[in-house]
């Protein structure tokens, strides 16, 4: 058939292509003139490529008369049918009626509903359950001609104009026009069903002036209005006095989340900015959530960030690689926009549309390997803001716009930026009560800063944020591997900030800097990487069941995260203890409310800051410094916390377990105190036994949970061993932990130091011999001499109780009495670790069999690795940190049975 196509746009171009493909002769294409920048309409471009005649008409008629030259041009083509796929011009009836089969028009609604120009919008605004398209015969009314064919589809609750158009109206519309033309060509009397006037609706064109949201209607109607105008022309309102267009609406059926109130003009209730967007109220008290906002300055932002502090970022220096990225972005923009650029050129104001957004994103991925989303283009519409977003993405910086209150500390030839407020929902906020506690530097007793101290009400807010993130946030929808990617990224950022973290740890906990770099921070980084690798290796089993004929059954198990986990950690390795627990907990897919030790919480807050840069979604990690009996207890008691991971003393562990049983019955794993024996036989490598023996006690100034709490030395070498130990202890350099030559820093805090001094006093009172040390150093700071207490008998206080400090407690055992010393080593209520030094491997392995401890060292000590499970027996608790076992502490098993 000879066809003239009258219309425009990509839709028109696709109609042109399909009709041509299916053997019709397109005798001419009538479309609009090139745009202001000289760019032809896509329909014109498609036709010109094939050498088809193209007419770019400004107008068809003058004073109600068709222009003669237009009429003549048209007539000469000899078209048998006019196809109008999408046409914004008024086409005179002389042209409509001239061809043998006259003219058919595509209309994106189920006529007679929604006649007029904004039909898709009104389909959604009216909440229609069905949408569709009509191909009708043109007449002289507005969308009134008889119907040739119609196609319909179901409307989903959150469909927007774009979604409906892309999913159905565009692809099916093209097929429908093709089908309609075939019907005309192949049938004698193609359908002409007259439209029923009683069901007809006519609605006005939607423009900005009639797109202000009316809040005096139910939430569903508000939702329909917003999605019915999304993205063009966009529903708008006034928030805090600023005109804002809203996108990405959904009905909110969950609990009202925690958030910040925002004033809404002409609404009975303020809106709420929260981690997943902005909540708006209808007059029925129900709510609608919107995800993006277009601000007055043309910038699109996530609704969750409305009203946050200044978010402009400027890139400082670009590397040569980044210069190349900028240059290729410039090329892509130029080829799309067909014009010169400057830094402020706005992609959309320069004429780009939604297809150009797709093209920009795809070309950037192709040329520079940077994967941005369509929304990133809307949110960064100017050239320089887009370049910035792309470069930050290439640097792996999720959100370089992140602003927070902090203190600056100058130390170790560095300027440290230190957050000191509670971290909830990816924001640093003060405690609701305003409470703070000072962070003291144990090396000189100075105040580093005031740290916010969380109370019960802050715990409630943080748990709600974590629950929301677990149940509905991006975290819950993310693939396991993507979670791993975030964790790897966090580990990389920790590596980049390693010196800063180690300095902070040193200042806040008294850790010797060189040890902090290697162990406190180094092992923390390894822990994050180790568990990041586990995220996509968590799976269950397939279990065959006894068959119940004639059907078959099969069960499989799934390992699922538990939910919101409360983590409570001590002060001895502040960041490492946090990392051991949190990395395993997050790898399993849970969300976290962490209470670090009140006395050393700064590196946990710094970790929180880095997690934002790594791209962790809001609510996944929440960090609440505060007192154990207040904040810690509130986490333990909270009904929405499903599991507690605790490291600390046995006494507090017992109390926590009791609370977990009494109030909510939650799972708990406890890494508790220890009194770990180290047995040294005379047949050992004595040099090594002395060197490692010292480390087993004085490593990290004795503030080490697996520290050897009691050394048993065989009678034969007892005096020699003690002499050599004291010689070595005298050589230990005590002092400023940031001094690289120092090996022994201050104790963590004053109360702990006082406890240690009492411990030594008690030992001596009961008859132990103080061979070395035992005193506080006469200088500022919480320094204690490395101490050696010997001739300790089994019934003494120091033989039974943990010191958690730099105090070596030594007892003698009878030559060759393996059984006796094993019994004495096990005669403690704890069971965290144990060690033995001997060259007799049989003896060593027999000891290893008989030690009642979760970790046993042979001819070594303190050698832990992220892949080796760590945790105690007896009153040292249960549940493991590290290794494959640890991830299971944060998973629960679900069994699913199928019949087939
Ligand atoms: P802790 O007094 O038991 O405190 C541990 C954590 O629990 C701190 O964050 C503390 O808060 C908090 N807490 C206190 N009372 C609480 C309550 N009622 N509810 C909830 N949380 C509460 O222990 P620590 O003095 O910090 O640490 C030393 C102990 O930890 C030693 O016994 C050591 O052996 C043990 N430890 C064990 C391991 C292991 O892996 N097994 C590792 C390291 C340390 P505050 O900030 O208010 O104190």
């Amino acid at each position: 058939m000879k066809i003239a196509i009258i219309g425009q746009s990509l839709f028109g171009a696709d109609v042109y292509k399909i009709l041509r493909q299916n053997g019709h002769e397109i005798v001419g294409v009538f479309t609009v003139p090139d745009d202001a920048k000289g760019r032809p309409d896509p329909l014109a471009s498609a036709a010109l490529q094939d050498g088809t005649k193209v007419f770019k008409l400004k107008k068809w008629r003058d004073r109600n008369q068709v222009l003669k030259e237009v009429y003549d041009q048209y007539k000469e083509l000899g078209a048998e049918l006019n196809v109008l796929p999408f046409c914004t011009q008024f086409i005179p009836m002389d042209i409509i009626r001239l061809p043998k089969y006259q003219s058919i028009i595509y209309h994106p609604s189920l006529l007679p509903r929604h006649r007029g120009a904004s039909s898709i919008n009104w389909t959604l605004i009216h909440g229609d359950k069905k949408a569709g398209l009509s191909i009708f015969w043109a007449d002289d009314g507005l969308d009134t001609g008889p119907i040739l064919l119609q196609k319909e589809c179901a409307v989903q609750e959150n469909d927007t104009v774009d979604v409906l158009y892309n999913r159905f109206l565009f692809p099916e519309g093209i097929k429908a026009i093709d089908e309609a033309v075939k019907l005309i060509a192949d049938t004698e009397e193609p359908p002409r069903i007259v439209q029923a006037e009683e069901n007809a609706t006519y609605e006005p064109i939607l423009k900005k002036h009639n797109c202000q949201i009316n809040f005096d209607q139910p939430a569903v109607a508000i939702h329909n209005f917003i999605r019915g105008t999304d993205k063009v022309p966009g529903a708008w309102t006034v928030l805090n006095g600023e005109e804002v267009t809203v996108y990405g609406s959904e009905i909110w059926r969950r609990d009202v989340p925690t958030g910040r109130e925002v004033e809404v003009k002409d609404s009975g209730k303020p809106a709420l900015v929260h981690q997943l967007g902005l909540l708006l109220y209808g007059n029925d008290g129900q709510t609608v959530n919107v995800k993006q906002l277009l601000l007055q300055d043309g910038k699109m932002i996530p609704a969750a960030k409305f009203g946050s502090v200044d978010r402009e970022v400027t890139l400082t220096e670009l590397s040569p690689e980044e210069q190349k990225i900028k240059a290729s972005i410039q090329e892509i923009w130029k080829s799309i926009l067909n014009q010169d650029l400057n830094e402020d050129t706005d992609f959309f104001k320069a004429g780009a549309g939604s297809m150009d957004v797709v093209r920009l994103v795809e070309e950037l991925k192709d040329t520079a390997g940077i994967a941005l989303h369509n929304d990133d283009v809307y949110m960064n519409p100017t050239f320089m803001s887009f370049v910035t977003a792309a470069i930050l993405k290439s640097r792996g910086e999720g959100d370089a716009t992140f602003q927070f209150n902090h203190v600056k500390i100058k130390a170790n030839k560095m300027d440290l930026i230190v957050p000191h407020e509670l971290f909830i929902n990816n924001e640093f906020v003060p405690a609701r009560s305003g409470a703070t506690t000072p962070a003291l530097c144990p090396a000189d007793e100075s105040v580093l800063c005031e740290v916010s101290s969380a109370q019960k009400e802050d715990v409630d807010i943080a748990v709600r944020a974590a629950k929301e993130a677990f149940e509905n946030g991006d975290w819950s929808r993310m693939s396991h591997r993507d979670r791993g990617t975030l964790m790897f990224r966090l580990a990389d950022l920790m590596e980049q900030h390693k010196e800063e973290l180690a300095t902070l740890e040193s200042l806040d906990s008294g850790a010797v800097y060189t040890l902090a770099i290697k162990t406190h921070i180094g092992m923390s980084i390894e822990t994050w990487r180790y568990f990041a690798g586990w995220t996509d290796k968590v799976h269950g089993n397939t279990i065959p069941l006894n068959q119940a004929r004639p059907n078959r059954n099969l069960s499989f198990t799934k390992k699922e995260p538990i939910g919101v986990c409360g983590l409570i950690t001590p002060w001895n390795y502040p960041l490492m203890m946090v990392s051991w627990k949190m990395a395993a907990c997050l790898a399993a897919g849970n969300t976290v409310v962490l209470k670090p030790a009140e006395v050393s919480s700064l590196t946990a807050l710094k970790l929180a800051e880095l997690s934002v840069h790594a791209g962790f979604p809001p609510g996944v990690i929440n960090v609440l410094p505060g007192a154990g009996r207040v904040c810690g207890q509130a986490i333990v008691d909270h009904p929405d916390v499903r599991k507690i991971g605790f490291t600390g003393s046995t006494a507090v562990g017992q109390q926590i377990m009791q609370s977990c049983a009494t109030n909510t019955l939650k799972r708990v794993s406890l890494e508790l105190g220890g009194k770990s024996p180290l047995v040294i036989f005379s047949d050992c490598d004595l040099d090594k036994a002395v060197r490692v023996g010292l480390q087993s006690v004085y490593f990290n100034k004795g503030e080490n949970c697996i520290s050897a709490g009691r050394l048993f030395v065989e009678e034969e070498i007892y005096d020699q061993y003690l002499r050599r130990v004291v010689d070595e202890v005298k050589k230990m350099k005590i002092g400023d932990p940031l001094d690289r030559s120092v090996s022994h820093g201050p104790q963590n805090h004053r109360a702990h130091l006082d406890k240690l001094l009492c411990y030594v006093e008690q030992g001596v009172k009961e008859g132990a011999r103080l061979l070395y040390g035992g005193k506080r150093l006469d200088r500022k700071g919480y320094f204690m001499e490395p101490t050696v207490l010997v001739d300790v008998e089994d019934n003494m206080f120091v033989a039974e109780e943990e010191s958690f400090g730099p105090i070596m407690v030594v007892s003698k055992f009878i030559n060759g009495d393996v059984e006796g010393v094993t019994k004495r080593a096990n005669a403690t209520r704890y069971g965290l670790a144990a060690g033995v030094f001997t060259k007799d491997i049989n003896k060593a392995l027999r000891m290893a069999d008989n030690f009642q401890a979760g970790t046993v060292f042979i001819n070594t000590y303190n050698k832990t690795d992220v892949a080796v499970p760590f945790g105690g027996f007896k009153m040292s608790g249960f549940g493991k940190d590290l290794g494959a076992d640890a991830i299971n502490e944060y998973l629960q098993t679900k069994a699913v049975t199928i019949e087939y």
Side-chain angles (χ1 to χ4, degrees):
M1 194 182 306
K2 291 183 173 183
I3 294 172
I5 295 182
I6 305 174
Q8 62 207 69
S9 83
L10 275 178
F11 186 75
D14 279 10
V15 167
Y16 164 81
K17 286 178 201 158
I18 198 168
L19 293 180
R20 211 164 163 269
Q21 244 171 40
N22 290 341
H24 301 290
E25 186 189 345
I26 310 300
V27 292
V29 158
F30 290 82
T31 186
V32 289
D34 295 349
D35 70 11
K37 299 197 178 79
R39 296 180 303 184
D41 183 85
L43 173 58
S45 304
L48 285 168
Q49 263 178 17
D50 301 328
T52 303
K53 281 188 184 146
V54 174
F55 303 90
K56 300 175 182 176
L57 302 184
K58 230 186 202 146
K59 56 179 184 174
W60 289 77
R61 56 182 192 165
D62 191 19
R63 272 175 254 123
N64 278 337
Q65 286 295 309
V66 58
L67 296 171
K68 183 161 180 339
E69 65 275 21
V70 172
Y71 184 82
D72 292 345
Q73 269 173 342
Y74 174 80
K75 195 167 177 199
E76 203 177 302
L77 299 173
E80 295 168 289
L81 174 72
N82 289 329
V83 174
L84 282 71
F86 170 63
C87 182
T88 52
Q89 293 176 319
F90 187 89
I91 313 299
M93 285 314 287
D94 308 281
I95 302 286
I96 292 287
R97 293 211 175 104
L98 190 60
K100 178 174 161 196
Y101 299 109
Q102 302 195 344
S103 303
I104 56 168
I105 303 183
Y106 163 88
H107 184 81
S109 82
L110 291 170
L111 290 172
R113 274 184 80 71
H114 310 306
R115 290 172 176 166
S118 300
S119 52
I120 315 179
N121 309 73
W122 288 108
T123 304
L124 296 173
I125 293 171
H126 281 255
D128 292 3
K129 298 283 178 253
K130 279 190 302 190
L133 60 93
S134 307
I135 313 289
F136 68 95
W137 299 95
D139 66 5
D140 54 1
L142 176 64
D143 304 330
T144 51
I147 309 286
L148 172 55
L149 64 83
Q150 288 186 317
K151 304 272 174 195
E152 64 177 48
C153 72
V155 178
Q156 308 297 322
E157 184 181 277
N158 290 331
D159 280 348
T160 62
V161 177
D162 282 359
V163 168
L164 201 54
Y165 187 64
N166 291 328
R167 187 182 74 224
F168 184 82
L169 296 170
F170 188 113
E172 294 305 318
I174 290 170
K175 286 190 223 158
I177 292 178
D178 182 44
E179 191 183 328
V181 172
K182 206 166 173 322
L183 269 176
I184 296 168
D186 298 348
T187 13
E188 287 224 340
E189 280 195 27
R192 283 176 182 271
I193 302 155
V194 175
Q195 294 189 34
E197 277 313 304
E198 64 269 25
N199 295 326
T201 63
Y202 289 87
E203 289 102 352
I205 296 188
L206 286 166
K207 293 261 162 79
K208 187 172 171 211
H209 72 87
N210 54 3
C211 279
Q212 182 172 7
I213 302 170
N214 168 16
F215 288 99
D216 192 15
Q217 55 182 338
V220 172
I222 294 174
H223 168 63
N224 288 338
F225 187 73
I226 297 172
R227 72 194 179 110
T229 51
D230 185 344
K231 297 219 168 333
V232 180
W236 60 276
T237 184
V238 179
L239 301 179
N240 280 355
E242 181 180 356
E243 200 177 286
V244 168
T245 312
V246 305
Y247 303 100
S249 169
E250 61 182 16
I251 299 281
W252 187 262
R253 295 199 175 83
R254 305 168 216 152
D255 295 343
V256 174
T258 54
R260 205 167 3 96
E261 286 190 351
V262 166
E263 190 196 311
V264 191
K265 192 173 171 210
D266 300 330
S267 168
K269 255 186 131 166
L272 205 65
V273 177
H274 63 112
Q275 62 171 266
L276 297 177
L278 176 92
L279 222 57
L280 298 163
Y281 281 84
N283 66 2
D284 55 354
Q286 302 300 307
T287 46
V288 165
N289 190 50
V290 293
K291 298 220 183 72
Q292 291 104 27
L293 305 178
L294 179 65
L295 305 182
Q296 249 165 335
D297 61 5
K299 190 163 166 60
M300 183 88 111
I301 60 161
K305 293 192 172 174
F306 181 75
S308 302
V309 258
D310 175 32
R311 301 200 158 261
E312 280 297 311
V313 212
T314 40
L315 294 171
T316 39
E317 239 170 70
L318 297 187
S319 67
E321 201 47 48
E322 290 169 348
Q323 294 286 6
K324 275 196 218 153
I325 295 174
K326 185 178 173 188
S328 36
I329 293 175
Q330 193 159 9
E331 282 313 303
I332 302 170
W333 275 54
K334 269 188 178 168
S335 74
I336 294 176
L337 300 177
N338 209 5
Q339 61 172 269
D340 287 336
L341 304 174
N342 60 46
E343 296 204 338
D344 297 329
T345 302
D346 185 299
F347 196 60
F348 300 102
K349 287 183 188 146
S354 58
M355 278 315 291
D356 298 316
V357 172
V358 177
R359 181 173 155 196
L360 175 57
V361 167
E362 291 304 319
E363 284 201 29
L364 181 67
K365 208 187 295 169
D366 198 40
T367 52
I370 299 171
L372 290 183
H373 298 292
N374 292 5
D375 280 350
D376 291 319
V377 185
Y378 290 110
M379 289 184 203
N380 300 283
T382 62
F383 176 68
M384 211 43 218
S385 64
F386 185 79
V387 169
T388 305
I391 287 175
L392 291 178
K393 180 84 179 181
S394 75
R395 288 180 187 174
E397 289 181 29
D399 191 350
T401 59
F402 181 46
Q403 311 270 321
F404 56 92
N405 288 329
H406 59 268
V407 291
K408 284 189 180 152
I409 299 176
K410 234 181 176 24
N412 208 11
K413 300 189 188 127
M414 278 175 232
D415 287 314
L416 305 176
I417 304 283
V418 185
H420 56 97
E421 293 176 323
L422 314 181
F423 182 75
I424 301 175
N425 236 345
N426 276 12
E427 286 184 8
F428 284 103
V429 290
R432 285 269 163 131
S433 65
T436 62
T437 43
L440 296 178
C441 172
D444 62 8
E445 302 173 44
S446 64
V447 177
L448 294 166
C449 60
E450 287 290 328
V451 180
S452 296
S453 184
Q455 315 289 309
K456 188 174 177 301
E457 56 185 334
D458 303 303
V459 171
D460 286 341
I461 297 169
V463 172
R464 267 161 73 185
K467 188 166 183 253
E468 186 63 27
F470 181 76
E471 291 177 355
N472 305 309
D474 288 346
W475 186 249
S476 63
R477 290 189 289 268
M478 207 176 266
S479 79
H480 296 204
R481 209 160 290 160
D482 287 347
R483 283 206 303 262
T485 304
L486 285 182
M487 292 175 67
F488 276 122
R489 212 181 282 158
L490 178 58
D492 290 347
L493 285 171
M494 289 166 79
E495 182 106 52
Q496 277 170 33
H497 293 264
K498 196 170 175 173
E499 282 82 13
E500 229 173 308
L501 286 166
T503 304
L504 199 54
E505 202 72 298
S506 187
L507 291 173
D508 198 22
S509 80
V512 166
Y513 179 72
T514 45
L515 182 70
I517 281 276
K518 183 174 177 298
T519 303
H520 293 64
I521 312 304
M523 195 176 185
S524 299
I525 296 168
E526 281 182 34
T527 306
W528 281 96
R529 292 202 171 120
Y530 175 77
F531 285 110
W534 264 109
T535 49
D536 59 356
K537 295 166 194 71
V538 171
H539 38 68
N541 297 315
T542 312
I543 306 162
L545 298 191
N546 278 340
Q547 311 292 350
R549 280 198 229 162
N551 296 321
R552 287 159 188 264
N553 295 93
L554 177 74
S555 286
F556 62 86
T557 58
K558 295 174 73 195
K559 296 276 183 189
E560 295 184 350
I562 301 167
V564 179
C565 295
L567 305 182
I568 300 172
T569 52
W571 40 260
N572 56 331
Y573 295 97
L575 185 63
M576 194 171 89
M577 291 294 100
V578 166
S579 300
W580 282 18
K581 298 211 170 302
M582 200 191 279
C585 179
L586 294 181
N590 302 285
T591 56
V592 165
V593 177
L594 164 76
K595 192 207 89 67
E598 188 172 35
V599 286
S600 300
S601 55
L602 298 183
T603 44
L605 292 172
K606 192 72 191 169
L607 179 80
E609 178 202 329
L610 296 180
S611 76
V612 177
H613 294 302
F616 276 80
V620 176
I621 296 174
N622 302 278
V623 181
L624 304 182
R629 65 191 180 286
V630 180
C631 168
Q633 191 66 48
I635 294 174
V636 170
D637 291 340
H638 202 292
D640 288 331
V641 174
R642 298 303 322 141
K643 149 102 196 190
I644 295 291
F646 172 77
T647 299
S649 62
T650 297
V652 174
Q654 286 175 301
Q655 193 181 326
I656 286 179
M657 193 169 163
Q658 208 161 25
S659 303
C660 285
T662 312
N663 299 325
T664 51
L665 194 73
K666 47 177 71 97
R667 283 172 58 170
V668 56
S669 48
L670 303 171
E671 302 289 337
L672 309 177
K675 183 71 179 170
S676 305
L678 173 59
V679 180
I680 299 169
F681 286 99
S682 56
D683 60 354
C684 70
D685 171 344
L686 194 61
D687 289 346
K688 192 175 176 194
V690 170
R691 198 177 65 246
V692 178
L694 285 160
Q695 282 169 15
S696 75
V697 175
Y698 302 118
F699 193 76
N700 196 39
K701 7 126 193 178
E703 293 168 0
N704 187 15
C705 52
I706 52 168
S707 168
R710 200 169 169 200
L711 269 65
F712 293 92
V713 183
E714 199 164 6
E715 201 172 2
E716 193 182 326
I717 55 162
Y718 186 71
D719 293 335
Q720 188 190 358
Y721 189 82
L722 294 183
R723 229 181 4 260
R724 292 195 52 182
V725 159
V726 172
D727 287 349
E728 292 304 316
V729 170
K730 284 180 183 161
K731 292 182 204 160
M732 283 169 67
K733 184 168 173 191
I734 308 172
D736 179 1
L738 287 172
D739 178 341
R740 309 304 195 259
S741 64
V742 159
S743 59
H744 187 83
Q747 303 309 136
N748 184 283
H749 52 280
R750 174 68 196 261
H752 181 53
L753 172 67
D754 291 345
K755 212 179 96 196
L756 293 175
L757 297 172
C758 291
Y759 185 93
V760 176
E761 206 176 294
Q762 172 94 351
V764 172
K765 207 162 28 173
E766 291 184 5
R769 183 157 56 98
L770 179 63
L771 196 58
Y772 189 83
K775 293 190 297 298
R776 180 177 182 177
L777 256 65
D778 186 17
R779 56 173 288 172
K780 231 181 167 29
Y782 310 131
F783 290 92
M784 176 175 181
E785 291 172 329
T787 299
V788 186
L789 275 177
V790 301
D791 303 344
V792 172
E793 298 297 334
D794 293 353
N795 58 351
M796 290 180 185
F797 172 80
V798 292
E800 290 174 353
E801 295 302 326
E802 175 187 33
S803 79
F804 212 50
I807 303 168
M808 188 181 276
V809 175
V810 195
S811 302
K812 194 188 288 182
F813 71 91
I814 300 166
N815 287 337
D817 185 13
V818 176
E819 221 170 278
V821 76
T822 308
K823 210 166 162 197
R824 288 173 73 195
N826 283 332
T828 160
R829 64 182 191 278
Y830 297 108
L832 196 53
V836 55
F837 271 81
T838 171
K839 284 184 185 159
D840 180 345
I841 190 64
N842 289 322
K843 189 160 63 178
L845 286 174
R846 274 205 310 278
M847 297 281 293
D849 282 350
N850 293 328
F851 277 137
Q852 296 164 353
T855 297
V856 174
F857 299 109
I858 298 175
N859 293 330
T860 185
Y861 205 85
N862 275 342
K863 202 156 268 175
T864 51
D865 186 274
V866 292
V868 180
F870 182 98
F873 288 4
K874 301 196 293 190
M875 288 182 78
S876 290
F878 48 81
K880 297 286 180 193
D881 279 336
L882 303 181
D885 295 39
I887 197 146
N888 280 318
E889 299 290 336
Y890 296 96
L891 289 166
Q892 52 192 355
T893 305
K894 180 181 279 174
V896 180
T897 299
I898 317 163
E899 187 159 279
Y900 64 101

